[in-house]
């Protein structure tokens, strides 16, 4: 598995991956209005990390580095369960300079379990455009334990 920074040539594929992953995993939301270009709006101002496995783009993570905020983590549905999300998350966590944060949709139980398994803690609840969410934190001490980076 190779994790690297986004290049513009990634955009067409990541648009498709973003749309497919949301449709596969957010089954409780009516996604009929979603389009490929939604990816472009979501990543504005973010550092995007791309996961490649055997030469194929298989996932990405978007983070707002100044805020230590993981905004997006998506894995191609055909590659879920193969460690792609964990590899991306380790690199993201290694980039945090203080306590990391993310919002996870409350209905997305699989994602919540994933983050909890990786040392994240549920801190609060709220409601946004896509429904209720859980605010999660990743403590700073844990952020430097993995030592992962972008290659």
């Amino acid at each position: 598995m190779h994790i690297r920074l986004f290049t513009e040539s990634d955009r067409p594929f990541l648009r498709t991956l973003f749309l497919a992953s949301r449709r596969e995993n957010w089954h409780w939301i009516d996604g009929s209005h979603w389009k490929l270009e939604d990816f472009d709006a979501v990543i504005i101002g973010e550092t995007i990390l791309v996961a490649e496995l055997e030469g194929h783009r298989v996932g990405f993570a978007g983070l707002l580095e100044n805020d230590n905020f993981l905004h997006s983590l998506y894995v191609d549905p055909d590659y879920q369960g193969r460690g792609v999300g964990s590899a991306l998350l380790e690199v993201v966590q290694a980039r945090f300079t203080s306590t990391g944060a993310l919002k996870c949709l409350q209905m997305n139980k699989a994602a919540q379990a994933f983050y909890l398994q990786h040392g994240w803690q549920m801190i609060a609840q709220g409601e946004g455009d896509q429904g209720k969410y859980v605010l999660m934190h990743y403590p700073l001490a844990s952020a430097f334990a993995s030592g992962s980076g972008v290659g």
Side-chain angles (χ1 to χ4, degrees), residues 2-148:
H2 178 64
I3 309 293
R4 61 172 176 77
L5 291 171
F6 171 88
T7 64
E8 195 55 41
S9 64
D10 294 319
R11 187 177 302 272
F13 185 82
L14 294 186
R15 282 176 164 177
T16 302
L17 187 154
F18 180 67
L19 183 61
S21 183
R22 290 197 315 168
R23 286 189 172 152
E24 176 77 19
N25 294 300
W26 295 4
H27 51 83
W28 64 91
I29 298 176
D30 174 16
S32 61
H33 63 284
W34 293 340
K35 54 192 182 304
L36 292 171
E37 294 79 10
D38 293 342
F39 171 80
D40 303 331
V42 167
I43 67 163
I44 292 173
E46 297 183 5
T47 298
I48 306 299
L49 303 171
V50 179
E52 291 181 323
L53 185 62
E54 299 169 0
H56 300 287
R57 296 174 191 101
V58 294
F60 75 91
L63 67 149
L64 296 164
E65 291 201 82
N66 289 341
D67 298 328
N68 292 296
F69 187 80
L70 173 58
H71 184 242
S72 314
L73 195 153
Y74 290 90
V75 175
D76 182 326
D78 292 338
Y79 287 87
Q80 290 180 1
R82 297 189 195 185
V84 176
S86 295
L88 280 165
L89 189 59
E90 285 180 21
V91 173
V92 166
Q93 291 169 171
R95 294 176 78 98
F96 290 153
T97 57
S98 66
T99 298
L102 65 81
K103 292 179 182 175
C104 185
L105 294 175
Q106 200 168 58
M107 294 291 292
N108 197 345
K109 300 299 184 190
Q112 287 177 41
F114 170 79
Y115 292 118
L116 289 170
Q117 179 184 17
H118 286 84
W120 289 73
Q121 302 164 354
M122 292 184 183
I123 301 300
Q125 297 182 1
E127 189 158 354
D129 294 342
Q130 296 162 335
K132 295 180 179 182
Y133 65 83
V134 175
L135 175 65
M136 302 181 85
H137 279 179
Y138 187 75
L140 178 61
S142 300
F144 291 102
S146 67
S148 298

